Amino acid sequence: MKLVGAFLKTLFCVSVVLCSASIAGAVTWIDWQSTTSGTLTIGSTNIGVTMTGNPMALVNGDGYYNNGATGGTSPSGTYGGLTPSDLIQVSGTGTFNLTFDAPIVDPYIALVSIGSGWNPVTYSFDDTFSVISSGSNFWGYGGYSISSDGTDFKGIEYNGVLKFTGTYSSISFDIAPSEYWHGFNFGVADAAAVPEPSTLLLLGSGLVGLAGMRRRFKA
Protein backbone atom coordinates (compact mmCIF):
# COMPACT_ATOMS: atom_id res chain seq x y z
CA MET A 1 0.00 0.00 0.00
CA LYS A 2 2.96 2.36 0.58
CA LEU A 3 3.86 1.96 -3.09
CA VAL A 4 0.34 2.93 -4.12
CA GLY A 5 0.43 5.94 -1.79
CA ALA A 6 3.75 7.12 -3.21
CA PHE A 7 2.52 6.70 -6.77
CA LEU A 8 -0.70 8.57 -5.95
CA LYS A 9 1.25 11.44 -4.38
CA THR A 10 3.51 11.72 -7.43
CA LEU A 11 0.54 11.62 -9.78
CA PHE A 12 -1.21 14.31 -7.75
CA CYS A 13 1.83 16.59 -7.96
CA VAL A 14 2.02 16.12 -11.72
CA SER A 15 -1.68 16.94 -12.12
CA VAL A 16 -1.29 20.10 -10.00
CA VAL A 17 1.54 21.27 -12.25
CA LEU A 18 -0.53 20.56 -15.35
CA CYS A 19 -3.53 22.44 -14.00
CA SER A 20 -1.31 25.37 -13.13
CA ALA A 21 0.10 25.35 -16.65
CA SER A 22 -3.40 25.44 -18.08
CA ILE A 23 -4.22 28.76 -16.41
CA ALA A 24 -0.84 30.45 -16.69
CA GLY A 25 0.75 31.99 -19.73
CA ALA A 26 0.70 35.05 -21.93
CA VAL A 27 -2.18 37.07 -23.30
CA THR A 28 -2.21 37.78 -27.03
CA TRP A 29 -3.78 41.03 -28.22
CA ILE A 30 -5.63 42.00 -31.39
CA ASP A 31 -3.22 42.95 -34.16
CA TRP A 32 -5.11 45.78 -35.87
CA GLN A 33 -4.54 46.34 -39.58
CA SER A 34 -6.92 49.33 -39.54
CA THR A 35 -9.43 50.96 -37.20
CA THR A 36 -12.08 48.54 -38.47
CA SER A 37 -10.31 45.16 -38.84
CA GLY A 38 -7.65 43.08 -37.16
CA THR A 39 -6.51 39.57 -36.29
CA LEU A 40 -6.43 37.74 -32.99
CA THR A 41 -3.95 34.84 -32.99
CA ILE A 42 -4.71 32.17 -30.39
CA GLY A 43 -2.09 29.45 -30.52
CA SER A 44 -1.97 28.53 -34.21
CA THR A 45 -5.47 29.83 -34.96
CA ASN A 46 -6.07 33.24 -36.54
CA ILE A 47 -9.44 34.81 -35.76
CA GLY A 48 -10.59 37.77 -37.82
CA VAL A 49 -11.95 40.78 -35.91
CA THR A 50 -14.14 43.56 -37.29
CA MET A 51 -15.15 46.69 -35.42
CA THR A 52 -17.77 49.38 -35.86
CA GLY A 53 -17.78 52.67 -33.97
CA ASN A 54 -16.06 56.03 -34.23
CA PRO A 55 -12.37 55.50 -33.40
CA MET A 56 -10.02 58.45 -33.72
CA ALA A 57 -6.86 56.57 -34.71
CA LEU A 58 -4.85 53.35 -34.56
CA VAL A 59 -1.45 53.13 -32.91
CA ASN A 60 0.49 49.94 -33.70
CA GLY A 61 2.90 48.59 -31.11
CA ASP A 62 3.07 49.07 -27.37
CA GLY A 63 4.12 52.71 -27.17
CA TYR A 64 1.29 54.02 -25.00
CA TYR A 65 1.33 50.99 -22.71
CA ASN A 66 4.99 51.39 -21.82
CA ASN A 67 5.13 55.13 -22.60
CA GLY A 68 7.64 54.52 -25.34
CA ALA A 69 5.83 57.15 -27.42
CA THR A 70 6.26 59.83 -24.79
CA GLY A 71 9.24 58.74 -22.71
CA GLY A 72 9.42 56.88 -19.41
CA THR A 73 8.16 53.45 -18.46
CA SER A 74 4.95 52.37 -16.72
CA PRO A 75 5.35 50.34 -13.51
CA SER A 76 5.11 46.63 -14.32
CA GLY A 77 1.95 46.27 -12.25
CA THR A 78 -0.06 48.73 -14.32
CA TYR A 79 -0.91 46.11 -16.96
CA GLY A 80 -0.34 43.05 -14.79
CA GLY A 81 2.65 41.88 -16.83
CA LEU A 82 0.29 41.09 -19.75
CA THR A 83 2.24 43.34 -22.19
CA PRO A 84 -0.59 44.82 -24.30
CA SER A 85 0.11 46.05 -27.83
CA ASP A 86 -1.75 48.09 -30.47
CA LEU A 87 -4.13 50.82 -29.36
CA ILE A 88 -7.47 52.00 -30.70
CA GLN A 89 -7.65 55.68 -29.77
CA VAL A 90 -11.02 57.29 -29.02
CA SER A 91 -12.02 60.90 -28.45
CA GLY A 92 -15.80 61.06 -29.00
CA THR A 93 -18.81 59.19 -27.73
CA GLY A 94 -20.76 56.30 -29.22
CA THR A 95 -21.19 52.54 -29.41
CA PHE A 96 -18.36 50.17 -30.34
CA ASN A 97 -19.03 46.63 -31.50
CA LEU A 98 -16.34 43.99 -32.05
CA THR A 99 -17.29 40.82 -33.95
CA PHE A 100 -15.07 37.71 -33.98
CA ASP A 101 -14.98 35.10 -36.76
CA ALA A 102 -14.87 32.41 -34.05
CA PRO A 103 -15.88 32.54 -30.38
CA ILE A 104 -13.28 33.69 -27.85
CA VAL A 105 -13.13 32.81 -24.16
CA ASP A 106 -12.55 35.09 -21.15
CA PRO A 107 -11.35 38.20 -23.02
CA TYR A 108 -9.28 41.01 -21.51
CA ILE A 109 -9.46 44.73 -22.31
CA ALA A 110 -6.41 46.94 -21.74
CA LEU A 111 -7.25 50.60 -21.13
CA VAL A 112 -5.08 53.70 -21.40
CA SER A 113 -5.72 57.16 -19.95
CA ILE A 114 -9.48 56.68 -19.47
CA GLY A 115 -10.99 59.96 -18.26
CA SER A 116 -9.49 62.72 -16.15
CA GLY A 117 -10.07 64.37 -12.81
CA TRP A 118 -12.33 67.00 -14.37
CA ASN A 119 -13.87 64.72 -17.03
CA PRO A 120 -14.40 61.05 -16.03
CA VAL A 121 -15.20 58.70 -18.93
CA THR A 122 -17.51 55.67 -18.68
CA TYR A 123 -17.33 52.42 -20.65
CA SER A 124 -20.76 50.74 -20.44
CA PHE A 125 -20.55 47.00 -21.18
CA ASP A 126 -23.26 44.37 -21.67
CA ASP A 127 -21.67 42.06 -19.07
CA THR A 128 -19.92 42.23 -15.73
CA PHE A 129 -16.13 42.21 -15.47
CA SER A 130 -13.30 42.15 -12.95
CA VAL A 131 -10.39 44.57 -12.59
CA ILE A 132 -7.15 42.65 -13.12
CA SER A 133 -4.66 45.49 -12.69
CA SER A 134 -4.37 49.26 -12.46
CA GLY A 135 -1.69 51.87 -11.97
CA SER A 136 0.11 54.92 -13.20
CA ASN A 137 1.20 55.84 -16.70
CA PHE A 138 2.91 58.88 -18.18
CA TRP A 139 -0.26 60.84 -17.35
CA GLY A 140 -0.53 59.58 -13.76
CA TYR A 141 -3.40 57.64 -12.21
CA GLY A 142 -6.71 58.80 -10.74
CA GLY A 143 -8.68 55.64 -10.03
CA TYR A 144 -12.02 54.20 -11.12
CA SER A 145 -15.51 53.23 -10.01
CA ILE A 146 -17.95 50.49 -11.06
CA SER A 147 -21.74 50.76 -11.21
CA SER A 148 -23.89 48.78 -8.78
CA ASP A 149 -24.87 46.28 -11.50
CA GLY A 150 -21.20 45.70 -12.36
CA THR A 151 -21.40 46.67 -16.04
CA ASP A 152 -20.35 50.35 -16.12
CA PHE A 153 -16.69 51.27 -15.66
CA LYS A 154 -15.83 54.92 -14.96
CA GLY A 155 -12.19 55.93 -15.31
CA ILE A 156 -10.52 58.97 -13.77
CA GLU A 157 -7.18 58.88 -15.60
CA TYR A 158 -7.29 55.09 -15.41
CA ASN A 159 -4.68 52.71 -16.83
CA GLY A 160 -5.00 48.95 -16.45
CA VAL A 161 -6.72 45.71 -17.50
CA LEU A 162 -10.25 44.35 -17.08
CA LYS A 163 -11.33 40.76 -17.67
CA PHE A 164 -14.66 39.27 -18.77
CA THR A 165 -15.71 35.68 -18.03
CA GLY A 166 -17.49 33.63 -20.65
CA THR A 167 -17.55 32.86 -24.37
CA TYR A 168 -18.07 35.74 -26.80
CA SER A 169 -18.73 36.00 -30.53
CA SER A 170 -19.08 39.78 -30.19
CA ILE A 171 -18.51 42.49 -27.61
CA SER A 172 -20.36 45.81 -27.47
CA PHE A 173 -19.90 48.84 -25.25
CA ASP A 174 -20.83 52.52 -25.10
CA ILE A 175 -18.39 55.34 -24.35
CA ALA A 176 -19.33 58.76 -22.89
CA PRO A 177 -18.62 61.63 -22.52
CA SER A 178 -16.12 62.98 -25.06
CA GLU A 179 -12.51 63.36 -23.97
CA TYR A 180 -9.34 64.59 -25.64
CA TRP A 181 -8.32 60.95 -26.16
CA HIS A 182 -8.08 57.55 -24.49
CA GLY A 183 -7.61 54.03 -25.84
CA PHE A 184 -8.15 50.29 -25.60
CA ASN A 185 -7.41 46.86 -27.03
CA PHE A 186 -8.76 43.36 -26.44
CA GLY A 187 -6.87 40.11 -25.91
CA VAL A 188 -7.21 36.49 -24.76
CA ALA A 189 -4.99 33.98 -23.02
CA ASP A 190 -2.73 32.17 -25.48
CA ALA A 191 -3.79 28.56 -26.09
CA ALA A 192 -0.12 27.58 -25.82
CA ALA A 193 -0.65 27.57 -22.05
CA VAL A 194 -2.90 24.50 -22.36
CA PRO A 195 -1.08 21.16 -21.78
CA GLU A 196 0.00 19.36 -24.96
CA PRO A 197 -2.04 16.24 -25.93
CA SER A 198 1.00 14.04 -25.30
CA THR A 199 1.22 15.36 -21.73
CA LEU A 200 -2.47 14.70 -21.15
CA LEU A 201 -1.98 11.18 -22.53
CA LEU A 202 0.82 10.63 -20.01
CA LEU A 203 -1.43 11.75 -17.17
CA GLY A 204 -4.23 9.48 -18.41
CA SER A 205 -1.84 6.52 -18.60
CA GLY A 206 -0.82 7.20 -15.01
CA LEU A 207 -4.43 7.11 -13.86
CA VAL A 208 -4.98 3.82 -15.69
CA GLY A 209 -1.86 2.40 -14.08
CA LEU A 210 -3.04 3.47 -10.64
CA ALA A 211 -6.37 1.74 -11.20
CA GLY A 212 -4.55 -1.45 -12.17
CA MET A 213 -2.35 -1.35 -9.07
CA ARG A 214 -5.37 -0.93 -6.84
CA ARG A 215 -7.04 -3.99 -8.42
CA ARG A 216 -3.91 -6.09 -7.86
CA PHE A 217 -3.69 -5.10 -4.20
CA LYS A 218 -7.37 -5.96 -3.68
CA ALA A 219 -6.98 -9.43 -5.27
Side-chain angles (χ1 to χ4, degrees):
M1 292 301 293
K2 287 183 178 180
L3 180 60
V4 174
F7 182 80
L8 180 60
K9 183 181 292 186
T10 301
L11 188 61
F12 173 77
C13 292
V14 170
S15 60
V16 167
V17 171
L18 291 176
C19 290
S20 299
S22 68
I23 60 176
V27 169
T28 183
W29 302 89
I30 297 174
D31 177 16
W32 292 99
Q33 282 77 56
S34 70
T35 55
T36 59
S37 64
T39 303
L40 187 56
T41 302
I42 306 174
S44 59
T45 301
N46 292 324
I47 297 176
V49 184
T50 57
M51 184 175 71
T52 59
N54 60 339
M56 179 176 72
L58 162 64
V59 178
N60 290 117
D62 60 358
Y64 282 108
Y65 298 103
N66 65 18
N67 289 326
T70 52
T73 302
S74 298
S76 59
T78 295
Y79 297 104
L82 300 179
T83 60
S85 61
D86 284 12
L87 183 75
I88 296 293
Q89 289 186 329
V90 182
S91 61
T93 64
T95 299
F96 285 76
N97 184 73
L98 283 76
T99 302
F100 306 95
D101 286 352
I104 62 172
V105 178
D106 299 344
Y108 296 81
I109 178 172
L111 300 170
V112 175
S113 192
I114 307 299
S116 64
W118 59 90
N119 187 29
V121 169
T122 297
Y123 278 53
S124 298
F125 299 102
D126 292 334
D127 286 325
T128 59
F129 52 84
S130 56
V131 178
I132 299 299
S133 65
S134 61
S136 64
N137 205 305
F138 178 81
W139 304 272
Y141 175 71
Y144 65 90
S145 62
I146 300 172
S147 62
S148 58
D149 66 356
T151 60
D152 291 352
F153 181 88
K154 180 181 290 185
I156 308 170
E157 197 59 67
Y158 172 85
N159 311 284
V161 179
L162 314 180
K163 183 181 180 181
F164 300 86
T165 301
T167 302
Y168 295 82
S169 295
S170 65
I171 297 176
S172 295
F173 54 97
D174 296 322
I175 296 176
S178 295
E179 188 193 12
Y180 178 65
W181 80 266
H182 49 86
F184 66 86
N185 198 9
F186 282 87
V188 295
D190 196 320
V194 178
E196 294 294 332
S198 58
T199 307
L200 294 174
L201 178 61
L202 177 62
L203 178 60
S205 299
L207 292 172
V208 171
L210 176 60
M213 290 179 67
R214 291 185 65 183
R215 284 197 297 270
R216 285 197 298 272
F217 273 98
K218 283 184 177 181

